Amino acid sequence: MKEGFRQSMAWLHTWSGLLVGWVLFMVFMAGTASYFRDEITVWMKPELHGLSRTAVPTAQSAEATYAYLQQHAADSPRWFITLPTGREPSASLFWNKPPPPKGAPPVDRRDRFGRAMLDPATGQASAAARETRGGEFFYRLHFDLHYMPALWARWIVGFCAMFMLVAIFSGIVTHKRIFKDFFTFRPKKGQRSWLDAHNVTAVLALPYHAMITYTGLVTLMFMYMPWGPQAAYKDSGGTQAFFAEAFAGGVREQFKAAGQPAPMAPIAPMLAQASAHWDGAGVGRITVNSPNDANAVVILRRADGPQLSYEQPTMQFNGVTGAMIGAFGDTTRPAAETRSVLYGLHIGRFGAPLVRALLFLSGLAGCLMVATGLLLWAVKERQKFAKTLKQGGRVGFGLRLVDGLNLGAIAGLPVAMASFFWANRLLPLDVANRGEAEITWFFTAWGATAVLGLLRPTLRMWQAQLALGALLFALLPVLNAFTGPAPLSVSLRSGPSAVAGFDLVALALGLGLAAAVWIVERKRRTSAARRAAQAAQTLQPSQVPQALVTSEQGS
């Protein structure tokens, strides 16, 4: 540390951010979108935009789902019911299909389950919504990386998050005037402008950046550091025994099916008892094990509310008699509650729309922080090649690689995300495995932009990709108007509010990317003029026109 502690922290900040910056940018983008994953899913299912948005009592919704499942899945071994909320107007039903008889050919995994969306006002199944992963894709992408085995992906994301945490705290140490620099932005100053932009976006949401990174590690803490529970519970059941003791909400009696048919008790009294037990809080999810069996069990989970804690208490009832078996998770131990609160802070489901909007904006600030940091390194490194470039040479391979990766990640990812939404509306409804086909379009678009960025990392390519992203996002409201029943002119007046909000955010993102195109064009013209002036000073008069042409082509 011969250069001093602060200089050492600056070196650590630079490399801990650069080496994982492209993965972190994707994680921030996908994670930020996940704050509104339910709203994204609603937009991506235009068949459901016409559902009644009149509030329906919880008991009425639950009874309607019971009646539907009794008619269509009475022999199922398990029902899963998600009741309507302000963010999702329909009831979501999911059930296991009975296993095939012995000796029968195996059933495809996708055919082992049944799904339905129910209009709570009418009790009828909604028009068959198109198959899509919706906002859930972005949520899973930001820690599962989709095509990679989940265990490997989570280790990679955790490794990158640890680097991010190091970059945050080393950055705080490095910038001794961090709060003064927050109020400073000097445009048109080259490297200084990129540093100012990096400082502003970093300090603007600094508590958020530290919180989201640390809590992201906490959500998977038992995978990253399993040795404590393994050692402490080695002789008493292993990690499963630890989870059962630490998280009381997960301890429930288990009953096997008796194989004797029995009628189900009404669900409404169970809902009323659970709501009274939870001081008026409603029920969000219902799980029924062995329905229409003498050993049927109904599990009610409290609806998400303003509580920071992610874990919600549950109540368990006898499905035939309606008698309460037990309540679980009403009180938790301090350590378990601390983890649950940190988990809840990370996913942000506790927040009202305004709170989630602020988290969304903070997430966008995080995207800009990572992006400006990556670009700042490239700008600083390019200065080392200033003399070589003046003499008509080329930058080194490392800088060219970073330029290409920056282009593919920062400009290419918005193109991929917008392509995902366009594929949702333009792919035929009867395409096999349609949800996966939408995701294929996402990665195809991203891969194409990344390859083009690596092949030609120029300002012209930045302009082209940013302009394409701007166009795709800005035209999403127009696409929705032609392919769905709730264009912006309708959704602003009468809903669904999720569709109106999606269209407005898409339009704002398109305008933001268009502004970036304008900034790049201004920089390109300034660079071209500077190179032309330098050429005019160093070349013979007869060579100047050709130098100007060469300079413009290099842009």
Side-chain angles (χ1 to χ4, degrees), residues 128-209:
R130 63 192 62 197
E131 181 187 353
T132 180
R133 291 285 298 277
E136 188 69 18
F137 165 65
F138 294 116
Y139 173 69
R140 305 295 302 188
L141 176 68
H142 96 282
F143 63 92
D144 274 355
L145 306 183
H146 193 68
Y147 286 121
M148 190 172 292
L151 185 63
W152 291 16
R154 295 178 187 189
W155 270 106
I156 290 173
V157 172
F159 179 82
C160 294
M162 196 68 240
F163 268 59
M164 174 75 175
L165 208 59
V166 171
I168 289 173
F169 288 105
S170 60
I172 294 173
V173 173
T174 300
H175 296 95
K176 57 183 178 181
R177 301 188 308 168
I178 187 168
F179 291 106
K180 181 179 179 180
D181 287 344
F182 170 66
F183 298 100
T184 304
F185 181 70
R186 288 154 286 193
K188 302 180 183 180
K189 296 294 184 182
Q191 178 183 332
R192 184 73 251 181
S193 298
W194 285 114
L195 181 58
D196 289 344
H198 185 63
N199 289 340
V200 168
T201 53
V203 181
L204 176 67
L206 180 60
Y208 170 84
H209 300 326

Side-chain angles (χ1 to χ4, degrees), residues 95-120:
W95 63 90
N96 297 93
K97 293 182 179 180
K102 291 183 178 180
V107 179
D108 186 84
R109 185 178 183 276
R110 292 190 297 271
D111 296 329
R112 298 176 188 173
F113 309 100
R115 297 177 177 84
M117 306 295 289
L118 208 67
D119 187 338

Side-chain angles (χ1 to χ4, degrees), residues 298-316:
V298 177
I299 302 170
L300 306 182
R301 183 182 186 272
R302 190 174 70 184
D304 292 329
Q307 303 88 359
L308 290 178
S309 179
Y310 169 75
E311 300 289 342
Q312 298 291 345
T314 62
M315 292 187 70
Q316 189 169 290

